[in-house]
Amino acid sequence: MQLLHLDSSLLGNRSVSRIISSEIVTRLMTLHPETSLNYRDLADDPALHLSAAHFGAKRGAAAMERVLLDDLLKGNAYMDELFQADTLVIGAPMYNLSIPSPLKAWIDRVAVAGRTYCYTANGPEGLLKNKRVFIASARGAVYSAGNAAAALEHHENYLIGLLGFLGIQDVTVIRAEGIAFSAEAKAEAIAQARKNIAAITQ
């Protein structure tokens, strides 16, 4: 199995999403000892956000600046790693009701018409088939369905929708939420996430 592990939290070893994503990876590698792991820390080495220069380079304009050229090569590497992966583990904390900007920058490099999705007479079609994704979700408050703040949830829903758009339907969310309420709430949320990780069987 080829496993791609992405982290996007800015909090380093204080990050709950990093704890969860790491433990998901450990669980998967225990279940599949032959796994080949590729790791990207998107927060530590983020891609640039898309600009007019990026689009120009894609249309054949020369990438005159070394920073832009290096960034285009990074985007190509993101795409190659995604195609090679059978399984992805994505560490995704909620920032301002959505995902961290380094993760959005990664998405903008891999959600590319003609490569990971295409337009057909029946509408868009995802081209990434037979992959599975585990989302390691961490949120300060409680946004899951049935709670008062659920309407503000543009985090997991966005990721699940985006992955589905690319053709990935096998998505599992391992969540710790309410972690900003108190130390006790944080510990309880992490403990529940660990129970859900232990329940992964394949």
Side-chain angles (χ1 to χ4, degrees):
M1 182 172 75
Q2 296 286 329
L3 174 58
L4 177 58
H5 177 193
L6 305 174
D7 273 324
S8 60
S9 170
L10 304 176
L11 298 181
N13 60 14
R14 295 183 293 114
S15 163
V16 172
S17 68
R18 287 176 183 268
I19 292 171
I20 298 171
S21 73
S22 176
E23 294 190 13
I24 293 170
V25 168
T26 298
R27 177 66 175 167
L28 293 174
M29 295 189 75
T30 299
L31 293 170
H32 305 279
E34 76 288 357
T35 296
S36 176
L37 175 63
N38 188 19
Y39 178 68
R40 281 270 183 186
D41 189 331
L42 300 175
D44 184 60
D45 183 26
L48 300 175
H49 289 289
L50 289 180
S51 67
H54 286 88
F55 284 108
K58 291 290 186 182
R59 293 186 175 95
M64 302 300 293
E65 296 183 9
R66 184 69 203 183
V67 171
L68 176 59
L69 178 58
D70 288 346
D71 197 65
L72 292 167
L73 293 173
K74 181 181 292 183
N76 291 342
Y78 285 176
M79 187 73 82
D80 291 342
E81 291 163 0
L82 176 59
F83 278 125
Q84 291 164 8
D86 304 300
T87 300
L88 286 79
V89 176
I90 302 175
M94 176 186 271
Y95 285 179
N96 296 319
L97 308 182
S98 187
I99 61 173
S101 61
L103 180 54
K104 180 59 166 66
W106 180 85
I107 288 169
D108 286 342
R109 303 314 171 82
V110 301
V112 177
R115 300 209 62 195
T116 53
Y117 70 94
C118 65
Y119 293 106
T120 73
N122 297 317
E125 178 184 348
L127 301 178
L128 299 180
K129 310 293 186 182
N130 302 317
K131 296 183 187 292
R132 65 175 178 163
V133 174
F134 292 87
I135 298 172
S137 170
R139 312 198 285 210
V142 177
Y143 298 89
S144 49
N147 289 281
L152 299 175
E153 205 285 279
H154 310 295
H155 168 231
E156 294 171 10
N157 282 342
Y158 169 72
L159 286 173
I160 293 168
L162 183 280
L163 292 165
F165 182 80
L166 300 182
I168 302 173
Q169 303 297 329
D170 187 354
V171 180
T172 300
V173 177
I174 305 290
R175 177 188 307 118
E177 64 179 353
I179 60 175
F181 290 164
S182 67
E184 292 77 12
K186 179 178 178 180
E188 183 177 341
I190 293 173
Q192 182 58 54
R194 284 177 168 148
K195 289 180 182 178
N196 293 335
I197 292 168
I200 298 170
T201 58
Q202 61 181 356

